[in-house]
Each structure stands twice: as C-alpha cells, then as structure tokens.
Amino acid sequence: MRKNILCYGDSNTWGCIPRWKDLGVPSERYSPEVRWTGRLASLLGEDFCVIEEGLGGRTSIYHRPDEPWLNGLPYFKPCLLSHRPLDLVVLMLGTNDLLAFLGPSKERLGEGIRTLIDVVRDTPKCGRNGAPPPVLVLAPARIKAGLGRTEVYPLFDGPRGELLSQAFPEVYRQVAQETGCRYLDASRYAQPSDADGLHWEEDSHRRLADAVAEKVRELFPAEGAAE
C-alpha cells in the first residue's frame, strides 16, 4: 500500500531560492528535484507519495494582521483532511514565529508546534483506520545575518532572533519526547544562505532530504527495504 506523507512548512519547504537583493518581484522556487520534499519523493520511490504543503512566511499558529492567511493553524486541519489518508505528517514550522512584531521568547518557542501536533491527534479521520498518523517534528534551521539582503535580519529582531533560532533543537526535541513524536534536527543538515540568512542553498535541501528519507525508512522498513 502506498504511504502518504504530508510535509507542512514554510518557505524552505516550498523551496524558496535565496536572493542577494530584493528584486521587487515574487520569490522563485527550486525545481522539484532540488527542493528537499521533491528529492525525498525521489529517494523513497513509488511506494510513497510526498505531499508538499509549504508556504512562504507561514507561522505555526500566530496571526499576521497584514497577511492573515500566513497563520498555519486555521488551514492545517482542512489540509490534513483534504490529503487523507495520511501515514505520516512532517512538521517544520517556527522560523516565522521569530518575527519581531510577534514578541517571541524561548518560553513560547514550542507552543506552536505542540498545538499543531494536538491538531493531528485530534483529527483521527486524517489517518488510516480511524487512527491519527505519526508525526515527525523537524527543528528548523537557524537564521543569521545575511550579507546580501541585510534588511531581512532586523525583521527577526537581529541577534535576539538568531539566538532563539539556535534554541529550536532543544525545545522541539523536548516537545517531541513529551508528545511521543519522532524528531529530527534540521539544523544539522541545512544552513541558511549568506544571501539572506534565511533560505537554503541546494546542498542543504539535499542533505535534509537524505536525513528525512532515513527516518521514513525507519518508520516503514518494508517499503524502505524495497527501494
């Protein structure tokens, strides 16, 4: 039976190509074979269907008054149900929770991802046989000051936001342990580009896809062995 994997994230799940300057036009996207979700699909083969649900600027649960559709919470349950039956949900959100106007703090850093996990658990119909699918939590990569688009770093409160981004692995690992979810630290494989300090180069997409594929094979060893 083909396994359905939903990858729910932000611009790095969408596959945003980093830019050295603001061109005043919409962001461009890596091709499917480059972005980590597309490479994951290729690595796993025909026994798996990888569903890409990335959106640039998406927060986990926080409201953005200028662009309310970027709140990841209201769309999440409809997304789960529209793609059912799901065998695995991969969550990688939190970077945009660090936007300065949202007032981020380490104490609140895990609230968003924990809430999304609860939505999966409270939506058993999205899985098979009336059971919610397992969740793989990915701690987002860190952010840093870019050398090109220098205007991006202050939006995330500069050094303070960078320091908070370095706390994702610790906080998300704890949330995953407490909620019984699988866990992977994306910052071990993906690094922000010097261009904007936020989005990833191709090598980061490749390394993360390889690591996630290994995790998926651990979850579904029969299908992984057939690949």
Side-chain angles (χ1 to χ4, degrees):
M1 181 183 298
R2 201 177 194 201
K3 305 296 185 185
N4 297 319
I5 301 173
L6 174 67
C7 299
Y8 195 69
D10 53 30
S11 55
N12 279 316
T13 295
W14 181 74
C16 182
I17 300 175
R19 287 176 173 170
W20 285 88
K21 61 180 180 179
D22 186 356
L23 302 177
V25 295
S27 301
E28 294 180 331
R29 188 183 195 187
Y30 286 120
S31 59
E33 64 269 17
V34 172
R35 54 186 184 257
W36 74 266
T37 45
R39 178 172 170 81
L40 175 65
S42 178
L43 290 169
L44 294 176
E46 62 183 14
D47 289 328
F48 293 85
C49 175
V50 176
I51 302 159
E52 300 175 296
E53 278 285 357
L55 176 63
R58 176 182 278 155
T59 68
S60 60
I61 61 171
Y62 299 109
H63 183 64
R64 299 184 60 166
D66 55 335
E67 298 171 298
W69 55 88
L70 295 181
N71 183 338
L73 182 57
Y75 174 65
F76 188 44
K77 187 163 188 170
C79 180
L80 293 172
L81 293 171
S82 68
H83 292 299
R84 69 184 180 91
L86 295 170
D87 298 282
L88 177 65
V89 176
V90 181
L91 295 175
M92 186 170 64
L93 282 170
T95 300
N96 293 299
D97 297 355
L98 303 180
L99 287 163
F101 77 90
L102 292 174
S105 65
K106 187 174 180 181
E107 291 71 28
R108 296 173 52 208
L109 205 59
E111 288 181 1
I113 204 72
R114 187 185 295 272
T115 299
L116 295 179
I117 292 167
D118 288 343
V119 173
V120 177
R121 299 284 168 75
D122 292 340
T123 315
K125 283 172 35 177
C126 75
R128 296 189 188 273
N129 303 315
V135 176
L136 172 59
V137 174
L138 303 187
R142 67 182 179 90
I143 63 174
K144 67 179 183 180
L147 303 179
R149 292 185 60 202
T150 56
E151 74 276 9
V152 174
Y153 194 57
L155 296 176
F156 293 86
D157 210 9
R160 184 173 180 274
E162 181 176 358
L163 190 63
L164 282 174
S165 76
Q166 293 171 2
F168 275 130
E170 172 195 347
V171 173
Y172 278 38
R173 182 184 295 107
Q174 181 176 349
V175 171
Q177 289 175 346
E178 292 174 353
T179 56
C181 295
R182 278 70 174 181
Y183 169 79
L184 185 70
D185 178 7
S187 69
R188 294 181 56 193
Y189 310 97
Q191 302 297 324
S193 167
D194 287 335
D196 61 14
L198 188 66
H199 299 110
W200 306 342
E201 303 285 355
E202 293 185 18
D203 277 354
S204 288
H205 281 269
R206 176 183 55 79
R207 289 191 296 266
L208 181 61
D210 293 349
V212 175
E214 185 176 341
K215 279 285 186 183
V216 172
R217 292 187 185 110
E218 291 173 3
L219 277 169
F220 306 106
E223 289 79 4
E227 194 271 326

